[in-house]
Amino acid sequence: MKGVCIFLANGFEETEALVTADVLKRGGVNVKLVSVHDDKYVTGAHKITVIADMTYGEFRSTADFENTDRNDMMIFPGGLPGSTNLAAKRDLMEIMIRHYAEGGAVAAICAAPGVVLSLLPDISGKRMTCYDGFETALAEKGAVYTKNGTETDGKIITGRGPGFAFDFGFAILTYLKGESVTAEVRSGMLI
């Protein structure tokens, strides 16, 4: 899958999705918010409704699934039941598995590393973090669980929870654009 997309399902953690999108856009990343539903309106875990850039059908009909590389990223915010709603979207999970196998990067925060990224077939030995209580599925797949705010291991970036949303966004920005762009965005945001 070419490009950078944040996938939103009803029940997503608003802070994790919107802070990440904001940081990436400030850094010049053309990130798209994709509703996994039939309409663009997605309601978060705290009843904040956002309008995504595209529906899942629009994503499927316009996405380029050829020549995926490390600069192509699928991002999954946490929140409940947002993370479980993402994982239940079987077609999306098949795309994620193919995307990762073909060299694309994945990022998830909060519950999503344990609920969504644990569906990847081979994460053994990868350093990953997630919200407390969601690490079991990662450990069962052989991932090395840490309680760090963020972890970047190869083409997998994970974040622990909403309090680390800025750090998560900066980790993704650093991966995609480098330290100097991230430093400039941090400075502009007074962080």
Side-chain angles (χ1 to χ4, degrees), residues 63-85:
D64 179 358
F65 294 100
E66 301 300 322
N67 303 313
T68 299
D69 66 30
R70 73 173 298 281
N71 294 309
D72 302 313
M73 183 172 291
M74 296 178 77
I75 303 170
F76 304 98
L80 290 176
S83 294
T84 53
N85 288 338

Side-chain angles (χ1 to χ4, degrees), residues 78-96:
L80 290 176
S83 294
T84 53
N85 288 338
L86 288 170
K89 187 84 173 176
R90 188 171 306 272
D91 180 65
L92 176 61
M93 295 300 96
E94 290 170 2
I95 291 170
M96 175 189 71

Side-chain angles (χ1 to χ4, degrees), residues 26 42 50-51 78 90 96 102 112 115 118 120 137 161 167 190-191:
R26 288 172 190 255
V42 190
V50 301
I51 303 171
R90 188 171 306 272
M96 175 189 71
E102 292 177 355
V115 176
S118 66
L120 290 169
D167 293 337
L190 304 178
I191 295 176

Side-chain angles (χ1 to χ4, degrees), residues 76-142:
F76 304 98
L80 290 176
S83 294
T84 53
N85 288 338
L86 288 170
K89 187 84 173 176
R90 188 171 306 272
D91 180 65
L92 176 61
M93 295 300 96
E94 290 170 2
I95 291 170
M96 175 189 71
I97 291 167
R98 176 180 167 199
H99 167 84
Y100 183 73
E102 292 177 355
V106 292
I109 185 169
C110 196
V115 176
V116 176
L117 297 189
S118 66
L119 299 176
L120 290 169
D122 184 20
I123 56 172
S124 182
K126 295 291 186 184
R127 292 179 57 82
M128 300 172 79
T129 190
C130 65
Y131 196 82
D132 296 2
F134 288 90
E135 65 275 6
T136 304
L138 297 175
E140 287 173 355
K141 294 289 281 279

Side-chain angles (χ1 to χ4, degrees), residues 105-184:
V106 292
I109 185 169
C110 196
V115 176
V116 176
L117 297 189
S118 66
L119 299 176
L120 290 169
D122 184 20
I123 56 172
S124 182
K126 295 291 186 184
R127 292 179 57 82
M128 300 172 79
T129 190
C130 65
Y131 196 82
D132 296 2
F134 288 90
E135 65 275 6
T136 304
L138 297 175
E140 287 173 355
K141 294 289 281 279
V144 178
Y145 170 69
T146 77
K147 287 195 171 202
N148 293 330
T150 64
E151 284 288 352
T152 301
D153 192 335
K155 54 189 181 150
I156 297 177
I157 300 169
T158 52
R160 191 159 176 208
F164 295 98
F166 279 102
D167 293 337
F168 180 68
F170 291 137
I172 295 169
L173 185 59
T174 298
Y175 176 89
L176 293 171
K177 295 284 194 166
E179 277 293 338
S180 63
V181 171
T182 301
E184 188 176 318

